């Protein structure tokens, strides 16, 4: 259920039975020369659309956090990088707001690699508060399954580019776009290292992306995300049901 278009009367009504909120987390950054700058927002949006059709009656779909943290891509034009400190505090406070509203199950649906470490901090702080938090980064959590469809995934790589093309073929192109391996270990950091890590701002075989692969990836990934959300609800019921959120007025 979409929060942005919901009135307060309806919101109060659904809060009586729903305690799960999904917050999409994105990034605005360079995605090679070929993929939309908003890729990390657009893909989670599409997941939300598809999840809404399947299990949308059981949760609130919150507005997205569009800007995130990207140390690696910060030397590239098109990247709007928020510091780890500001970003993690901001996301935590948004989620704390939902917790206070009674949403004790919080799903962070993340579209961007640079956010992951910060979202771990957010999840731990929310868990300490009393929340139950599920953090999903589709490109990491389901990487092995993704490779069965897009064998050379990466940042704006075969998987991401395909997922963007499947939303709208005008959002990306593959012509003349090559295959970039990450040339140095990611664990090694130095100033402006992203320029070495991501030649031309991407990794993986973007040239092999297609609308058809994107469609297959959406089917696969939406199912996997749905299964993980069902797992959250299953664990909730094993743990004895709803946690006690610090509710504001009902
Ligand atoms: Zn991305």
């Amino acid at each position: 259920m979409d929060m942005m278009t919901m009135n307060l009367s309806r919101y109060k009504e659904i809060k009586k039975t729903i305690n799960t909120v999904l917050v999409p987390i994105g990034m605005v950054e360079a995605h090679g020369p070929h993929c939309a700058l908003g890729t990390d927002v657009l893909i989670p949006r599409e997941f939300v659309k598809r999840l809404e059709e399947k299990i949308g009656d059981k949760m609130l779909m919150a507005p997205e956090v569009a800007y995130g943290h990207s140390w690696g891509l910060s030397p590239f034009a098109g990247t709007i990088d928020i510091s780890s400190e500001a970003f993690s505090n901001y996301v935590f406070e948004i989620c704390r707001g939902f917790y206070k509203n009674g949403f004790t199950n919080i799903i962070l649906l993340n579209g961007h690699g640079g956010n992951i470490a910060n979202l771990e901090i957010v999840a731990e702080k929310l868990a300490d508060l009393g929340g139950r938090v599920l953090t999903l980064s589709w490109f990491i959590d389901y990487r092995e399954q993704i490779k069965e469809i897009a064998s050379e995934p990466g940042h704006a790589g075969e998987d991401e580019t395909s997922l963007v093309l499947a939303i709208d073929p005008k959002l990306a192109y593959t012509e003349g776009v090559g295959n970039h391996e990450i040339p140095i270990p990611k664990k090694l950091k130095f100033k402006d290292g992203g320029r070495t890590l991501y030649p031309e701002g991407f990794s993986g075989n973007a040239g092999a992306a297609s609308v058809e692969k994107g469609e297959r990836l959406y089917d696969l990934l939406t199912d996997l995300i749905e299964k993980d959300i069902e797992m959250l609800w299953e664990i909730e019921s094993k743990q004895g049901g709803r946690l006690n959120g610090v509710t504001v007025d009902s």
Side-chain angles (χ1 to χ4, degrees):
M1 284 172 280
D2 178 42
M3 185 184 191
M4 284 283 264
T5 51
M6 190 178 286
N7 60 42
L8 182 58
S9 311
R10 173 86 179 126
Y11 179 75
K12 285 183 173 177
E13 196 54 42
I14 67 137
K15 249 162 43 72
K16 289 176 188 160
T17 52
I18 287 177
N19 67 326
T20 301
V21 62
L22 184 148
V23 187
I25 314 281
M27 180 57 189
V28 178
E29 70 172 354
H31 274 80
H34 62 285
C35 245
L37 296 169
T39 290
D40 295 349
V41 178
L42 296 167
I43 293 172
R45 257 188 210 171
E46 184 64 27
F47 286 135
V48 166
K49 207 171 98 188
R50 290 168 187 247
L51 289 167
E52 177 67 43
E53 283 165 21
K54 301 177 98 175
I55 46 175
D57 58 328
K58 292 193 241 173
M59 58 185 168
L60 183 73
M61 302 300 194
E64 69 223 2
V65 178
Y67 299 92
H69 175 67
S70 179
W71 179 83
L73 274 295
S74 60
F76 289 85
T79 299
I80 309 300
D81 178 33
I82 308 301
S83 72
S84 280
E85 293 78 7
F87 171 69
S88 56
N89 283 335
Y90 185 55
V91 176
F92 171 70
E93 292 190 16
I94 290 168
C95 295
R96 187 177 56 189
F98 281 109
Y99 181 78
K100 282 184 180 175
N101 271 253
F103 293 92
T104 47
N105 290 339
I106 298 162
I107 301 163
L108 301 172
L109 183 62
N110 177 39
H112 167 65
N115 291 343
I116 292 174
N118 299 303
L119 295 180
E120 278 298 304
I121 296 169
V122 171
E124 288 175 4
K125 281 168 76 176
L126 288 168
D128 282 345
L129 207 62
R132 194 181 277 111
V133 191
L134 175 66
T135 312
L136 297 173
S137 296
W138 63 267
F139 44 93
I140 297 287
D141 293 323
Y142 316 119
R143 188 173 169 88
E144 286 315 305
Q145 295 95 320
I146 287 170
K147 280 171 147 178
E148 286 166 25
I149 297 171
S151 60
E152 291 172 276
H155 172 67
E158 188 177 352
D159 52 343
E160 246 191 352
T161 306
S162 296
L163 288 164
V164 167
L165 286 170
I167 298 169
D168 183 343
K170 290 194 289 296
L171 294 170
Y173 63 86
T174 55
E175 220 180 282
V177 183
N179 183 359
H180 286 173
E181 294 294 321
I182 289 188
I184 51 166
K186 267 188 164 182
K187 58 191 168 194
L188 179 64
K189 284 197 165 52
F190 49 91
K191 189 165 168 51
D192 289 342
R195 285 205 186 277
T196 309
L197 264 179
Y198 301 102
E200 291 182 51
F202 77 98
S203 65
N205 193 2
S210 70
V211 172
E212 185 260 329
K213 284 178 191 170
E215 279 300 336
R216 286 170 60 205
L217 283 169
Y218 275 120
D219 289 343
L220 169 82
L221 294 169
T222 308
D223 279 353
L224 290 168
I225 293 169
E226 185 187 350
K227 279 199 185 93
D228 270 336
I229 296 173
E230 298 284 357
M231 174 272 292
L232 164 80
W233 289 328
E234 218 178 282
I235 287 175
E236 175 181 39
S237 66
K238 277 187 195 153
Q239 287 177 336
R242 290 178 69 147
L243 296 165
N244 287 319
V246 186
T247 46
V248 293
D249 69 313
S250 55

